[in-house]
Amino acid sequence: MPSTSTTANSLTVILPDGSRKQYERPVTPYDVAAEIGPGLAKAAVLAEVDGQPVDLGSPLPRQGDVRLRLLTKKDPESLAVMRHSCAHVMAQAVMRLFDGVQLAFGPTTATGFYYDFALSHPLSEDDFPRIEAEMQQIIQANERFERIEMPRGEAIQLCAELGQDFKVEHLQTGLGEEQSVSFYRQGEFIDLCRGRHIPSTGHLGTAFKLLSVAGAYWKGDSSREQLQRLYATAYFDKKELDAHISQLEEARRRDHRVLGKQLELFTINQTVGSGLILWLPKGAIIRQTLEDYLRGELRRRGYQAVFTPNIGRVELYQISGHFPYYSDSQFAPIDLGDGERYLLKPMNCPHHIMIYKSKPRSYRDLPVRLAEFGTVYRYEQSGELSGLTRVRGFTQDDAHIFCTEEQVADEFRGCLEMTQTVLAALGMNDYRVRLGFRDTQSDKYVGGKEVWDRAESALQAVCESLNLPKMSIEPGEAAFYGPKADFVVTDCIGREWQLGTVQLDYNLPSTERFALEYIGPDNQPHRPVMIHRAPLGSMERFVGVLIEHFAGAFPLWLAPEQVRVLTVSEKSEGYGREVEQRLAAADLRVAGDYRGAKLGAKVRDAQVELIPYMFVVGEKDREAGTVTVRDRIEGDLGAMPFDAAIAKLRAEIDAKTVRQVAERSAVAVADCENQHEY
Amino acid sequence: MPSTSTTANSLTVILPDGSRKQYERPVTPYDVAAEIGPGLAKAAVLAEVDGQPVDLGSPLPRQGDVRLRLLTKKDPESLAVMRHSCAHVMAQAVMRLFDGVQLAFGPTTATGFYYDFALSHPLSEDDFPRIEAEMQQIIQANERFERIEMPRGEAIQLCAELGQDFKVEHLQTGLGEEQSVSFYRQGEFIDLCRGRHIPSTGHLGTAFKLLSVAGAYWKGDSSREQLQRLYATAYFDKKELDAHISQLEEARRRDHRVLGKQLELFTINQTVGSGLILWLPKGAIIRQTLEDYLRGELRRRGYQAVFTPNIGRVELYQISGHFPYYSDSQFAPIDLGDGERYLLKPMNCPHHIMIYKSKPRSYRDLPVRLAEFGTVYRYEQSGELSGLTRVRGFTQDDAHIFCTEEQVADEFRGCLEMTQTVLAALGMNDYRVRLGFRDTQSDKYVGGKEVWDRAESALQAVCESLNLPKMSIEPGEAAFYGPKADFVVTDCIGREWQLGTVQLDYNLPSTERFALEYIGPDNQPHRPVMIHRAPLGSMERFVGVLIEHFAGAFPLWLAPEQVRVLTVSEKSEGYGREVEQRLAAADLRVAGDYRGAKLGAKVRDAQVELIPYMFVVGEKDREAGTVTVRDRIEGDLGAMPFDAAIAKLRAEIDAKTVRQVAERSAVAVADCENQHEY
C-alpha cells in the first residue's frame, strides 16, 4: 500500500514521534537534525534509516518514505561507532609518529577497540602518552569523517599507491566478491572501511585511553606476518572511562592467574603442555570440596554416578557426528594403524549413551540420569589459552538425562533448580537465564516443528514459574539439536560469565545417530529425549571465576586452610599443637604457626594468605582451655572455650556462609565465548 | 681341596643324609635308587645332581664326587616335570587321532600345561574324551621317555624328515647358537625337547584332564601361523586334580566378567574400545566408596591430593625415559604437527614431579606426599585383555612421596601400614609381602651400592617389625631404579593376586632425569628420594579381584544396594515407601519392591541380586513402627523398631564388617603378571 503523503519527486521523512517532513532537494540526516534545531545538530552522532545505521552526512533517498532516527551519545548503538572512529584516530596518530606503518584491521570489542599494525618500532606502554597526545591534537582539529565509495579496482590501485599491502591483499581476496567498496578519510588519513563513523573527530572528547599492546597475526594465521595489536577504549563520558579503568584495575587485582600462583592453587607447566592444569594441593581441595558438594546434590536428586574412559574409538565420534565435523577443535586422533584410531574425548555424551544402550530400557526406568565429573580435551589455539578459564583439558560437572517427551518439563525444571541451589550456595545470586530458542525462519534444526514448539513453551513456562532474577528469550540462539538455557552469572565486580547450561537434544538419540530407544507402555519402541546439563560448566573455568569473584578469599567451607593456630610465644607451642590436633580431628583444615616471630607478623602473614580464622593461643588460653579467635574480616573476637570456637566454625561451614563479597562496580564486561556446546 | 674318599677312577655319590656310595661302573640315578631299595626305584621320578635336575635314567659322571637327590612325586619339583611329560603324551595322542599335525611348543604353566598344534581338524571339547582315552592307552603301555642328543644339523634333518616345519624353523633360528640339541622319544612319538622327563608314561596315572582349547599364534606373533592351543592339567593324586577342577568351577562361578554383567557393575563396548571400562552405576558406587575411604586414610596420613591431566608432551616422557623406551606398551602419540606431540600418560609420576618442581623446596617441607586417583593408559595387546583385570585404561590409587634419604624407612613403614589397614578393611588378611632387592652381581641398577645397601636393610628391618603374615626377600626382583615391596594377596579360593606396591626410585630424581632438589639445613641443594606407592594398584583390577573374592556379595559398606524394602502385600506400599525414604535420609542405599508378587518371589529376587538386607514390612509392622529384618546370609531376624534396625546397619557399615567369605581351597593359582612398574 503506497503512502498517501508521498508525491513522485519528493522524499517524506518520518521521525520516531510520527511527525513527517517533506523534501524535494537532496538532504542528509544532519540537514534534518539542523532543521529540527541546532542543539540536536550538535548532539547527533549517527542516524538510522529504516532501521539501518548510516552516517549522519550520508545522502537520503530523493523520493519515497523513510523512517529516520537521529542518535546521540545517549543511544547505546552510538558507543561502538564512536569507538571505531577513535580507532581510526589512533591509527592516524601512530602513522604520524612512526614510519612505515602498515595498517591491518581495527575493530571494536565488547569493551573498547584495537588496531593491528605492522611497524618496525616495538610499541610499548612508554609510547602511550605521545600517541594519546597526538590523538588529542587530531580531536581538537575536529576533522570530518568523509565516506568515499569507489569500484574495487580503483580501491586496489589507491591502496597500492598508499603502500598498504594488507589492504591490497584484503581487497583482492577477502573482498573479492565486491563490486564497490568504501573508504573513510579524516585529514590526511584514509582507510578502507565499511563504516559507520561519527561526523567528526571533535565528537570524541577526552574520555579515551590506550590500555595495552600485544602480539597478533595477520588474519589470525600464525604462519603469516606478525603484527602489534594496540588495545584502547573510549567512552562519551569521563566518569564511565574512570569506572572502566578502575574495574580493570580491580580485575587485575583479582586475576585468577596471579592469585592462583600467589595462593598456590594451580600451575601450568610447558613441558606438560599449554592449557593443561596441574592442580596444586590447595586448589585441589577447592575442586574436591565442590565436587563432593555436587555429588551430594546429585545423589539427592536421583542421579547415578558413572565413570567412563578419556578416550573412545574414532567410530564412536563418527556416529555422534563430532568427527570429522569438529576436528578443528579436537586433538588429532591416536593412530595405532590397521584403522584403529582413538580420540581424546571432547565430550562425555557418547560414552554415557553407550551406558544407556548397555541394556534394554523400559518407560518404567526413565528418566535415567547419568552423572560424571568427566575430563574432556579440546584443542584451543594457544593464543586463546588463559589460566583456568581457557584451557585444553577440563572436567565438566556433567550429566545426561534420558527421558520421555512428557518428562522434559519436569527434568528441565530439576536442572534449573539444581543450578539455582548451587549458585546460591556460592553466593552468586546475580545471574540471568538466557533461553536459546530456534530461528523459526531457518531449517537447520533437527526434530519436528511441533516438538520444538511444545518444548519451547514448556521451557518458558518452567522458567517463568521459577522466580529467576532475570530471564531473556533469544530466538536463533538454540543449538541445531535443541533449545537450551544458559546461566550467565555476574560476578562481584560486575563482569558476566557464562557458566551453567541445560540443553535439550533431539539429534544424538535419532536414527541417524545412536538410535536410542525405550519400550513404552504400549510395548513398542519409542525415542527418548536427551538433556545435557552442567551447573558449573567445568571445574577449571568455574574455579577460575570463583577465585576472581572472591578475590582469593574463599568462604570457610571452601578455604584450603580454614584455621591457623598462632602462638603468642614459644612457651605455648605445646598447647598450640594440641589445639591444632583437636581441630584436625574435628575435620577442619588447619595449620600452625609456632615460629618465634612476633604475633603481629604471624597475623599479617595469615591475613595475606587469606586464612579465614586464626586461633591465637597463649598461656592464659592454656590455663582456661580457651582460644582467642581472630576473624580475617572482623578482627579479634575475644577468647572462647575451644568447643564453642569449633561449633562456630562448624556452623559456618555447614551453612556454606558467604561472608564477604566486594561491592560490584556498575560496568559489565561480557566474557561469554567459552561456551561448551555438546 | 680334593675329597679324601675319592679314588682316580671311581665315582662317589653323596646322598642327602650324608651317606656315600662308591661306583667304578657307569651308573644312573635309577641304578642308585634300585640299589637303595625296590620301593624307591619304583617311586623315584626324577633326580637332582649337584642341585641340577636330571632324568632318572641319565648317566652319572664316571669319577669325582656328586651330591645326588632322588625325587618322588612327593617332592614339589616333580609336578612340573610330570606335567611336561603328560604334554608329550597328549601330543602323541593327538597325532595318533588326527592327520597332518604340526607340533609347535608344549610348555607347563603355573597350574597345568598346554600344547600348540597346527592341524586342519578344529579341536573342540567333543574331542576331549577320545584324546583322554588315547592318552590312557599310552600310559598303560608304560612307554619309556628316552633322551636322544644329536648335533643341530642332524636334528634339522630329522625334523624335516618328520615333516615338522615349526621344529625345523626353531632349530634354525631360535636354537641357532646351539651345537647339540636333545629329543625325547616315547613309543613312536619323538619331539625336540630340552627335558627333563619322568622315567616312563606309566608314572602318569589317571589324574589328568583336558580343560579347554583356544587360539594362539606361532611364537605369539599375530602375523604368523594360527595354532590351536590345548590346555590340560595333571596331578600325581586324583584328589588334588578334583580339588583343582572344583576350584576352576568355583573360579568360573566367581568370574568377575560374568558377575560384572549379571550385577550390572561394568560393561565394555567395542565402539568405545577394547580394554576401556564403562563403570555402570552400581560398579561406580563400589569404586567411589573405595576412593572415598582411601581419601580419608590419605588425609589422616598427611598426603595432599592433586589433580593432573591425562596427557603430557612427549618431551616430558623423554626426560622421564618412558619414551621411546616403553613405546610398545603405550598408545601412539597424538601428533599435532610442528613437533607438538602428546602422550596419553602411562603413569602419573612425571606430572607429580612437575608439581614438586613448581616451587623451591626446603628440607622443612619434606616429606611431600602427593596423591591422585590418576587415570593412565597403556596399550596391552588385545589378546591380553580380560574384564577389569587386564585393561588399557585404569585408575591408580597413586601417590608419590618426595623425602630425604633419612626419611625413607619411616615413609616406607607408613606405606606398608596403610596397605595393611586397607587390606584388613576388606577382609583380605591372607597376603605375603615380596621384598624385591637388587641382584648384587648385576650393574643395571641406578644409584650407589651403599645407598641400596642402606635402603635394603632399612626396608627389611621395617618389614620384620611390622608383623606381616608372610614375607620373602627376592634378590634380583628390584626394579632397576630401586628396591620395592609388593603385596601378593590370596583370595578366598586360594588364588594369588599381586595388588599393592611400594617402590623406591633413585632414577627419576637424578640429574639425568628431572634433577630434583631440596635445600638442606646446610643451605645446599640435596637430592630427594622418590617413593611410588599404590595400596590397591588400580581401581579396575582391585574391584575385579574384589568381585571374585566376594563372589559378588559385597560387605554392607560397599554393597551398591544395601537394603531392599519388601512389602508383604500391596496394602503396605505406603508404609514401605515411608521406610524407604527414611532409609535414604539416613544415607543408606535403598530400593523398594512394591510389586503385587508373592513375598517369597521378592525375597528370592533380592537373594539372587545379593542384597545384604531386606526390610520386610506388613500391616503389623506399620502399626508397631517396626520392620522385619531379613539377613541375606542368616535369614529372618524378626521384627525390630525402625531405629534399631538402622542402628544395626549403621554399626556394620561403620565397622566395615566383612561377614562372609567362602572357604578357601588348598590350591593356589598365581596371577601376578599385571604388575605396574613405574
Side-chain angles (χ1 to χ4, degrees), chain B residues 355-373:
Chain B
I355 288 181
Y356 179 85
K357 287 185 77 152
S358 69
K359 64 171 186 176
R361 305 284 180 173
S362 142
Y363 70 98
R364 287 188 216 89
D365 306 330
L366 301 191
V368 169
R369 308 184 188 95
L370 302 179
E372 181 175 23
F373 291 93

PDB file of all heavy atoms in Angstrom, chain B residues 355-373:
ATOM      1  N   ILE B 355      54.762 -30.957  39.772  1.00  0.00           N
ATOM      2  CA  ILE B 355      54.175 -30.228  40.906  1.00  0.00           C
ATOM      3  C   ILE B 355      55.234 -30.036  41.994  1.00  0.00           C
ATOM      4  O   ILE B 355      55.365 -28.945  42.556  1.00  0.00           O
ATOM      5  CB  ILE B 355      52.932 -30.979  41.439  1.00  0.00           C
ATOM      6  CG1 ILE B 355      51.790 -30.841  40.429  1.00  0.00           C
ATOM      7  CG2 ILE B 355      52.526 -30.448  42.819  1.00  0.00           C
ATOM      8  CD1 ILE B 355      50.501 -31.509  40.810  1.00  0.00           C
ATOM      9  N   TYR B 356      56.022 -31.085  42.255  1.00  0.00           N
ATOM     10  CA  TYR B 356      57.122 -30.926  43.218  1.00  0.00           C
ATOM     11  C   TYR B 356      58.034 -29.787  42.796  1.00  0.00           C
ATOM     12  O   TYR B 356      58.462 -28.964  43.617  1.00  0.00           O
ATOM     13  CB  TYR B 356      57.919 -32.234  43.332  1.00  0.00           C
ATOM     14  CG  TYR B 356      59.095 -32.125  44.293  1.00  0.00           C
ATOM     15  CD1 TYR B 356      58.922 -32.330  45.658  1.00  0.00           C
ATOM     16  CD2 TYR B 356      60.370 -31.774  43.831  1.00  0.00           C
ATOM     17  CE1 TYR B 356      59.984 -32.198  46.550  1.00  0.00           C
ATOM     18  CE2 TYR B 356      61.435 -31.639  44.707  1.00  0.00           C
ATOM     19  CZ  TYR B 356      61.240 -31.853  46.063  1.00  0.00           C
ATOM     20  OH  TYR B 356      62.293 -31.715  46.945  1.00  0.00           O
ATOM     21  N   LYS B 357      58.302 -29.716  41.497  1.00  0.00           N
ATOM     22  CA  LYS B 357      59.238 -28.709  40.983  1.00  0.00           C
ATOM     23  C   LYS B 357      58.619 -27.331  40.818  1.00  0.00           C
ATOM     24  O   LYS B 357      59.304 -26.398  40.393  1.00  0.00           O
ATOM     25  CB  LYS B 357      59.780 -29.159  39.610  1.00  0.00           C
ATOM     26  CG  LYS B 357      60.768 -30.299  39.685  1.00  0.00           C
ATOM     27  CD  LYS B 357      61.358 -30.615  38.320  1.00  0.00           C
ATOM     28  CE  LYS B 357      62.418 -29.594  37.931  1.00  0.00           C
ATOM     29  NZ  LYS B 357      63.436 -30.148  37.040  1.00  0.00           N
ATOM     30  N   SER B 358      57.316 -27.193  41.094  1.00  0.00           N
ATOM     31  CA  SER B 358      56.674 -25.905  40.825  1.00  0.00           C
ATOM     32  C   SER B 358      57.097 -24.813  41.796  1.00  0.00           C
ATOM     33  O   SER B 358      56.776 -23.649  41.601  1.00  0.00           O
ATOM     34  CB  SER B 358      55.149 -26.045  40.830  1.00  0.00           C
ATOM     35  OG  SER B 358      54.684 -26.317  42.136  1.00  0.00           O
ATOM     36  N   LYS B 359      57.817 -25.189  42.860  1.00  0.00           N
ATOM     37  CA  LYS B 359      58.388 -24.159  43.732  1.00  0.00           C
ATOM     38  C   LYS B 359      59.622 -24.734  44.426  1.00  0.00           C
ATOM     39  O   LYS B 359      59.781 -25.955  44.485  1.00  0.00           O
ATOM     40  CB  LYS B 359      57.368 -23.669  44.752  1.00  0.00           C
ATOM     41  CG  LYS B 359      56.895 -24.704  45.758  1.00  0.00           C
ATOM     42  CD  LYS B 359      56.058 -24.034  46.851  1.00  0.00           C
ATOM     43  CE  LYS B 359      55.700 -25.013  47.956  1.00  0.00           C
ATOM     44  NZ  LYS B 359      54.976 -24.370  49.055  1.00  0.00           N
ATOM     45  N   PRO B 360      60.485 -23.878  44.940  1.00  0.00           N
ATOM     46  CA  PRO B 360      61.667 -24.389  45.631  1.00  0.00           C
ATOM     47  C   PRO B 360      61.224 -25.116  46.894  1.00  0.00           C
ATOM     48  O   PRO B 360      60.261 -24.703  47.539  1.00  0.00           O
ATOM     49  CB  PRO B 360      62.453 -23.120  45.999  1.00  0.00           C
ATOM     50  CG  PRO B 360      61.780 -21.991  45.298  1.00  0.00           C
ATOM     51  CD  PRO B 360      60.402 -22.408  44.969  1.00  0.00           C
ATOM     52  N   ARG B 361      61.900 -26.210  47.233  1.00  0.00           N
ATOM     53  CA  ARG B 361      61.526 -27.000  48.406  1.00  0.00           C
ATOM     54  C   ARG B 361      62.655 -26.961  49.423  1.00  0.00           C
ATOM     55  O   ARG B 361      63.819 -27.048  49.047  1.00  0.00           O
ATOM     56  CB  ARG B 361      61.254 -28.447  48.016  1.00  0.00           C
ATOM     57  CG  ARG B 361      60.219 -28.628  46.922  1.00  0.00           C
ATOM     58  CD  ARG B 361      58.798 -28.437  47.426  1.00  0.00           C
ATOM     59  NE  ARG B 361      57.830 -28.608  46.354  1.00  0.00           N
ATOM     60  CZ  ARG B 361      56.510 -28.632  46.545  1.00  0.00           C
ATOM     61  NH1 ARG B 361      56.012 -28.493  47.774  1.00  0.00           N
ATOM     62  NH2 ARG B 361      55.689 -28.773  45.537  1.00  0.00           N
ATOM     63  N   SER B 362      62.269 -26.865  50.673  1.00  0.00           N
ATOM     64  CA  SER B 362      63.250 -26.903  51.749  1.00  0.00           C
ATOM     65  C   SER B 362      63.128 -28.227  52.482  1.00  0.00           C
ATOM     66  O   SER B 362      62.086 -28.887  52.423  1.00  0.00           O
ATOM     67  CB  SER B 362      62.982 -25.742  52.709  1.00  0.00           C
ATOM     68  OG  SER B 362      63.210 -26.133  54.046  1.00  0.00           O
ATOM     69  N   TYR B 363      64.165 -28.628  53.193  1.00  0.00           N
ATOM     70  CA  TYR B 363      64.103 -29.873  53.980  1.00  0.00           C
ATOM     71  C   TYR B 363      62.953 -29.814  54.974  1.00  0.00           C
ATOM     72  O   TYR B 363      62.400 -30.834  55.365  1.00  0.00           O
ATOM     73  CB  TYR B 363      65.438 -30.122  54.692  1.00  0.00           C
ATOM     74  CG  TYR B 363      65.720 -29.164  55.823  1.00  0.00           C
ATOM     75  CD1 TYR B 363      65.454 -29.514  57.149  1.00  0.00           C
ATOM     76  CD2 TYR B 363      66.245 -27.885  55.573  1.00  0.00           C
ATOM     77  CE1 TYR B 363      65.694 -28.618  58.183  1.00  0.00           C
ATOM     78  CE2 TYR B 363      66.475 -26.990  56.586  1.00  0.00           C
ATOM     79  CZ  TYR B 363      66.204 -27.365  57.897  1.00  0.00           C
ATOM     80  OH  TYR B 363      66.434 -26.486  58.927  1.00  0.00           O
ATOM     81  N   ARG B 364      62.560 -28.577  55.363  1.00  0.00           N
ATOM     82  CA  ARG B 364      61.450 -28.429  56.314  1.00  0.00           C
ATOM     83  C   ARG B 364      60.116 -28.857  55.701  1.00  0.00           C
ATOM     84  O   ARG B 364      59.186 -29.208  56.403  1.00  0.00           O
ATOM     85  CB  ARG B 364      61.326 -26.978  56.770  1.00  0.00           C
ATOM     86  CG  ARG B 364      62.404 -26.531  57.717  1.00  0.00           C
ATOM     87  CD  ARG B 364      62.100 -25.138  58.281  1.00  0.00           C
ATOM     88  NE  ARG B 364      63.325 -24.378  58.457  1.00  0.00           N
ATOM     89  CZ  ARG B 364      63.873 -23.608  57.529  1.00  0.00           C
ATOM     90  NH1 ARG B 364      63.281 -23.457  56.351  1.00  0.00           N
ATOM     91  NH2 ARG B 364      65.001 -22.969  57.771  1.00  0.00           N
ATOM     92  N   ASP B 365      60.019 -28.788  54.348  1.00  0.00           N
ATOM     93  CA  ASP B 365      58.763 -29.161  53.675  1.00  0.00           C
ATOM     94  C   ASP B 365      58.640 -30.667  53.492  1.00  0.00           C
ATOM     95  O   ASP B 365      57.577 -31.163  53.152  1.00  0.00           O
ATOM     96  CB  ASP B 365      58.695 -28.526  52.273  1.00  0.00           C
ATOM     97  CG  ASP B 365      58.893 -27.023  52.293  1.00  0.00           C
ATOM     98  OD1 ASP B 365      58.520 -26.407  53.312  1.00  0.00           O
ATOM     99  OD2 ASP B 365      59.425 -26.477  51.299  1.00  0.00           O
ATOM    100  N   LEU B 366      59.739 -31.390  53.615  1.00  0.00           N
ATOM    101  CA  LEU B 366      59.724 -32.820  53.303  1.00  0.00           C
ATOM    102  C   LEU B 366      59.262 -33.620  54.519  1.00  0.00           C
ATOM    103  O   LEU B 366      59.475 -33.203  55.640  1.00  0.00           O
ATOM    104  CB  LEU B 366      61.118 -33.287  52.864  1.00  0.00           C
ATOM    105  CG  LEU B 366      61.701 -32.572  51.640  1.00  0.00           C
ATOM    106  CD1 LEU B 366      62.947 -33.312  51.147  1.00  0.00           C
ATOM    107  CD2 LEU B 366      60.710 -32.478  50.497  1.00  0.00           C
ATOM    108  N   PRO B 367      58.665 -34.788  54.354  1.00  0.00           N
ATOM    109  CA  PRO B 367      58.268 -35.363  53.060  1.00  0.00           C
ATOM    110  C   PRO B 367      57.074 -34.655  52.436  1.00  0.00           C
ATOM    111  O   PRO B 367      56.165 -34.247  53.139  1.00  0.00           O
ATOM    112  CB  PRO B 367      57.889 -36.802  53.423  1.00  0.00           C
ATOM    113  CG  PRO B 367      57.514 -36.750  54.868  1.00  0.00           C
ATOM    114  CD  PRO B 367      58.332 -35.667  55.481  1.00  0.00           C
ATOM    115  N   VAL B 368      57.113 -34.531  51.098  1.00  0.00           N
ATOM    116  CA  VAL B 368      55.955 -34.067  50.334  1.00  0.00           C
ATOM    117  C   VAL B 368      55.270 -35.320  49.781  1.00  0.00           C
ATOM    118  O   VAL B 368      55.924 -36.140  49.142  1.00  0.00           O
ATOM    119  CB  VAL B 368      56.407 -33.144  49.173  1.00  0.00           C
ATOM    120  CG1 VAL B 368      55.248 -32.872  48.219  1.00  0.00           C
ATOM    121  CG2 VAL B 368      56.970 -31.840  49.712  1.00  0.00           C
ATOM    122  N   ARG B 369      53.997 -35.476  50.094  1.00  0.00           N
ATOM    123  CA  ARG B 369      53.277 -36.698  49.669  1.00  0.00           C
ATOM    124  C   ARG B 369      52.106 -36.281  48.789  1.00  0.00           C
ATOM    125  O   ARG B 369      51.127 -35.735  49.266  1.00  0.00           O
ATOM    126  CB  ARG B 369      52.738 -37.459  50.874  1.00  0.00           C
ATOM    127  CG  ARG B 369      53.767 -37.763  51.957  1.00  0.00           C
ATOM    128  CD  ARG B 369      53.146 -38.607  53.066  1.00  0.00           C
ATOM    129  NE  ARG B 369      54.026 -38.771  54.211  1.00  0.00           N
ATOM    130  CZ  ARG B 369      54.000 -38.007  55.292  1.00  0.00           C
ATOM    131  NH1 ARG B 369      53.134 -37.007  55.381  1.00  0.00           N
ATOM    132  NH2 ARG B 369      54.825 -38.230  56.286  1.00  0.00           N
ATOM    133  N   LEU B 370      52.228 -36.519  47.480  1.00  0.00           N
ATOM    134  CA  LEU B 370      51.207 -36.084  46.512  1.00  0.00           C
ATOM    135  C   LEU B 370      50.394 -37.283  46.048  1.00  0.00           C
ATOM    136  O   LEU B 370      50.962 -38.261  45.549  1.00  0.00           O
ATOM    137  CB  LEU B 370      51.872 -35.403  45.313  1.00  0.00           C
ATOM    138  CG  LEU B 370      52.732 -34.180  45.645  1.00  0.00           C
ATOM    139  CD1 LEU B 370      53.363 -33.621  44.368  1.00  0.00           C
ATOM    140  CD2 LEU B 370      51.921 -33.100  46.361  1.00  0.00           C
ATOM    141  N   ALA B 371      49.095 -37.210  46.240  1.00  0.00           N
ATOM    142  CA  ALA B 371      48.225 -38.350  45.938  1.00  0.00           C
ATOM    143  C   ALA B 371      47.221 -37.993  44.861  1.00  0.00           C
ATOM    144  O   ALA B 371      46.755 -36.863  44.783  1.00  0.00           O
ATOM    145  CB  ALA B 371      47.484 -38.781  47.197  1.00  0.00           C
ATOM    146  N   GLU B 372      46.904 -38.967  44.031  1.00  0.00           N
ATOM    147  CA  GLU B 372      45.895 -38.744  42.985  1.00  0.00           C
ATOM    148  C   GLU B 372      45.312 -40.078  42.541  1.00  0.00           C
ATOM    149  O   GLU B 372      46.037 -41.053  42.396  1.00  0.00           O
ATOM    150  CB  GLU B 372      46.557 -38.064  41.763  1.00  0.00           C
ATOM    151  CG  GLU B 372      45.574 -37.784  40.635  1.00  0.00           C
ATOM    152  CD  GLU B 372      46.189 -36.998  39.475  1.00  0.00           C
ATOM    153  OE1 GLU B 372      47.430 -37.037  39.323  1.00  0.00           O
ATOM    154  OE2 GLU B 372      45.426 -36.360  38.736  1.00  0.00           O
ATOM    155  N   PHE B 373      43.995 -40.097  42.358  1.00  0.00           N
ATOM    156  CA  PHE B 373      43.397 -41.217  41.651  1.00  0.00           C
ATOM    157  C   PHE B 373      43.596 -40.900  40.177  1.00  0.00           C
ATOM    158  O   PHE B 373      42.769 -40.249  39.550  1.00  0.00           O
ATOM    159  CB  PHE B 373      41.925 -41.377  42.027  1.00  0.00           C
ATOM    160  CG  PHE B 373      41.761 -41.840  43.442  1.00  0.00           C
ATOM    161  CD1 PHE B 373      41.598 -40.942  44.483  1.00  0.00           C
ATOM    162  CD2 PHE B 373      41.859 -43.191  43.736  1.00  0.00           C
ATOM    163  CE1 PHE B 373      41.500 -41.378  45.792  1.00  0.00           C
ATOM    164  CE2 PHE B 373      41.749 -43.638  45.040  1.00  0.00           C
ATOM    165  CZ  PHE B 373      41.579 -42.728  46.076  1.00  0.00           C
TER     166      PHE B 373
END
